[in-house]
Amino acid sequence: MELHNTQSLFIYNSISKKKEKFNPINKGAVGMYVCGPTVYSNVHMGNCRTFLSFDLVFRYLKHLDYKVRYVRNITDAGHLENDGESGQDPIAKKARQENIEPMEVVQKYTVDFHQTMSRFNALPPSIEPTATGHIIEQIQIIENIIKEGYGYKVNGSVYFDVNTFNKDHQYGKLSGRKLEDMITNTRELAAQSEKKNPQDFALWKKASPEHIMRWPSPWSDGFPGWHLECTAMSTKYLGQQFDIHGGGMDLKFPHHECEIAQAEAVNKKSPVNYWMHANMLTLNGKKMAKSTGNNILPDELFSGENTVLSKAFTPGVAKFFMYQAQYRSILDFSNEALVASEKGYNKLMDAYRNISSITTADSSSNDISSWKQSCYDAMNDDFNSPILIAQLFEAVKYINTLKEGKTSITKEDLDLLQQTMQAFIFDVLGLTDITTEASGTNDTLCGAVELLIELRDQARANKDFATSDKIRNDLQEVGIQLKDGKDGTSFSLN
Ligand code: AMP
Ligand code: ZN
């Protein structure tokens, strides 16, 4: 495949706060690390937005023909609540509540996460390492941090000494925070802590007697700190310096700041060339979060079972809704916005399907090559999916005028239009159109819907409009649209 350069990709780098031309360390290859979920509960739509934002990045890089190694971890240990000493381990807490093993909690929610991602048609990462599978690597890094003079031991725990690190490096360069200000703001906390300084963070925590998830180490039976796992796994699979590191905006501080500090402490170089942060999905103007209950779960969306929703929405529509905002903008979740997205999504899919029935001519009234370039320009501008979608709707308009015979297109241009639409809708945005896949996995569904269409036709022939309306309305409720045309009734799923 040709390398679809097509001109240059620019990425907004959170550390420089600028859009920068993307130059990978190794030509033609990209190393990307994205912080994965902490698996103690079902992922909500907010979490999904971040993972889908990076699915788009992964897909577009692959589409540009880069060889991408995409590492996304599973946090199955060490992520304490409130990021602090007094915080509980949410996995252990859930295990106690449900009277099961912590690893059962981990398994249950890892499976849920995978199922959800696959319903959204997100590609699996190239490597999905777990924190518990990398304890040895984490212990090694702690030993090195201590050796370099940036870690200290207290009562079997080990902390990163932010103050000492800041003398030789700049702690806070990603988040733009200043250590002096942080110290002023947290003076009162200092006395209650075994840490030298409230800004210091745990590299290793000694486990309390009831803490089940524990491993032997030179310091105590305990468990590693959350920030450390990402340093260990990104370094192991992508090297001491790699191209892209992503996560939600809320991970910028302290999580990613601490990752930089740990990596610089041992490797003496900045670990990441491009830091990418996806913005938050909100509900009623507030961040969706597990802890506050202000969230919508994917299953609630797919079933319509939430008071916020008037009906069920398919994963494709939800994804389309999310990609109508750029990944760096805050996006508010609402039923109205989803209903509008559903309409747009159907229009797009209908137009795509209609391409095959267009008759070609000797000339084209639109410049398809320059339209194609506009699609690339949108994605090259920091993965600007809403602009890409606007370009796809330009094509929808054109397709509709072609269908009505108002404009013309050559065979060559029609092929280019079709291929470009296909590449961006299905490969890059990763949307699915179940009806066009009907000959494959969805034979059963299509068979069932066609039977219902037949029964509806019979009902209409018998003037039993109550039944025919019921069939149409109930199908609509579950996301199947019937359309009556001169060649009979067709259906679309969204
Ligand atoms: P967690 O499992 O809490 O570590 O979160 C997994 C990912 O979801 C992280 O990258 C978070 O930044 C991200 N995230 C959490 N809440 C939201 C939200 N409301 N909108 C978008 N991303 C979120
Ligand atoms: Zn991380």
Side-chain angles (χ1 to χ4, degrees), residues 369-381:
S369 301
S370 79
W371 165 77
K372 176 182 167 183
Q373 186 56 48
S374 319
C375 294
Y376 282 99
D377 291 347
M379 287 304 284
N380 285 341
D381 182 14

Side-chain angles (χ1 to χ4, degrees), residues 33-46:
Y33 187 91
V34 172
C35 296
T38 308
V39 279
Y40 68 94
S41 64
N42 302 99
V43 279
H44 54 68
M45 288 305 295

Side-chain angles (χ1 to χ4, degrees), residues 171-192:
Y171 183 76
K173 65 175 159 197
L174 175 65
S175 56
R177 300 183 191 212
K178 283 210 161 59
L179 187 58
E180 304 84 75
D181 300 342
M182 290 185 233
I183 291 171
T184 317
N185 295 337
T186 52
R187 202 148 272 158
E188 279 120 65
L189 286 172
Q192 310 147 19

Side-chain angles (χ1 to χ4, degrees), residues 28 55 73 121 296 309 357:
D55 187 53
N73 69 302
N121 194 32
I296 304 264
L309 303 166
S357 58

Side-chain angles (χ1 to χ4, degrees), residues 37-38 44 46-47 50-51 248 250-251 279-281 287-288 290:
T38 308
H44 54 68
N47 304 129
T50 287
F51 297 123
D250 55 345
L251 299 189
N279 216 329
M280 297 291 108
L281 185 65
K287 180 189 163 190
M288 273 201 197
K290 284 176 199 174

Side-chain angles (χ1 to χ4, degrees), residues 50-314:
T50 287
F51 297 123
L52 293 173
S53 294
F54 288 102
D55 187 53
L56 183 68
V57 172
F58 183 37
R59 283 173 173 277
Y60 187 57
L61 291 169
K62 277 164 72 89
H63 176 73
L64 292 180
D65 209 26
Y66 284 111
K67 186 171 186 285
V68 190
R69 181 180 293 169
Y70 173 23
V71 183
R72 187 185 64 207
N73 69 302
I74 294 283
T75 297
D76 56 354
H79 190 171
L80 301 186
E81 284 169 353
N82 311 322
D83 204 48
E85 287 164 286
S86 53
Q88 294 199 54
D89 176 346
I91 296 171
K93 188 168 152 190
K94 187 77 160 209
R96 272 197 304 279
Q97 280 166 355
E98 297 196 358
N99 201 20
I100 54 177
E101 277 287 322
M103 270 299 163
E104 284 181 277
V105 174
V106 163
Q107 181 68 18
K108 179 174 169 186
Y109 294 109
T110 304
V111 168
D112 171 75
F113 173 59
H114 287 157
Q115 281 173 345
T116 304
M117 285 298 107
S118 106
R119 290 202 71 178
F120 278 118
N121 194 32
L123 298 173
S126 330
I127 302 178
E128 194 170 47
T130 61
T132 57
H134 296 78
I135 302 291
I136 292 169
E137 288 83 349
Q138 295 178 75
I139 290 175
Q140 237 157 37
I141 297 178
I142 301 174
E143 283 176 331
N144 289 339
I145 292 175
I146 296 174
K147 223 183 282 164
E148 295 291 340
Y150 299 123
Y152 60 91
K153 296 161 257 183
V154 194
N155 306 328
S157 293
V158 183
Y159 294 99
F160 190 93
D161 189 338
V162 173
N163 245 330
T164 307
F165 176 78
N166 197 49
K167 288 186 186 127
D168 323 317
H169 301 79
Q170 191 198 341
Y171 183 76
K173 65 175 159 197
L174 175 65
S175 56
R177 300 183 191 212
K178 283 210 161 59
L179 187 58
E180 304 84 75
D181 300 342
M182 290 185 233
I183 291 171
T184 317
N185 295 337
T186 52
R187 202 148 272 158
E188 279 120 65
L189 286 172
Q192 310 147 19
S193 173
E194 64 179 15
K195 298 191 280 190
K196 286 193 204 163
N197 192 314
Q199 278 62 48
D200 295 350
F201 55 89
L203 297 170
W204 188 263
K205 289 290 286 179
K206 180 181 175 175
S208 55
E210 67 278 6
H211 202 105
I212 306 173
M213 291 179 89
R214 52 168 70 216
W215 292 265
S217 79
W219 314 287
S220 64
D221 272 11
F223 54 92
W226 171 42
H227 313 310
L228 191 64
E229 64 172 275
C230 288
T231 300
M233 292 185 264
S234 59
T235 315
K236 174 154 181 165
Y237 298 109
L238 298 172
Q240 294 182 358
Q241 264 183 321
F242 55 94
D243 300 301
I244 300 175
H245 191 316
M249 201 73 100
D250 55 345
L251 299 189
K252 206 191 247 186
F253 187 88
H255 186 53
H256 293 158
E257 199 72 73
C258 297
E259 273 187 52
I260 295 178
Q262 293 164 156
E264 286 189 358
V266 291
N267 301 326
K268 313 283 170 229
K269 52 185 159 202
S270 189
V272 174
N273 286 348
Y274 301 85
W275 281 97
M276 291 183 68
H277 289 99
N279 216 329
M280 297 291 108
L281 185 65
T282 58
L283 179 62
N284 301 316
K286 290 196 202 82
K287 180 189 163 190
M288 273 201 197
K290 284 176 199 174
S291 52
T292 57
N294 185 49
N295 65 57
I296 304 264
L297 299 179
D299 276 348
E300 294 172 340
L301 190 73
F302 306 152
S303 66
E305 280 161 20
N306 187 299
T307 49
V308 172
L309 303 166
S310 63
K311 62 184 284 296
F313 294 94
T314 60

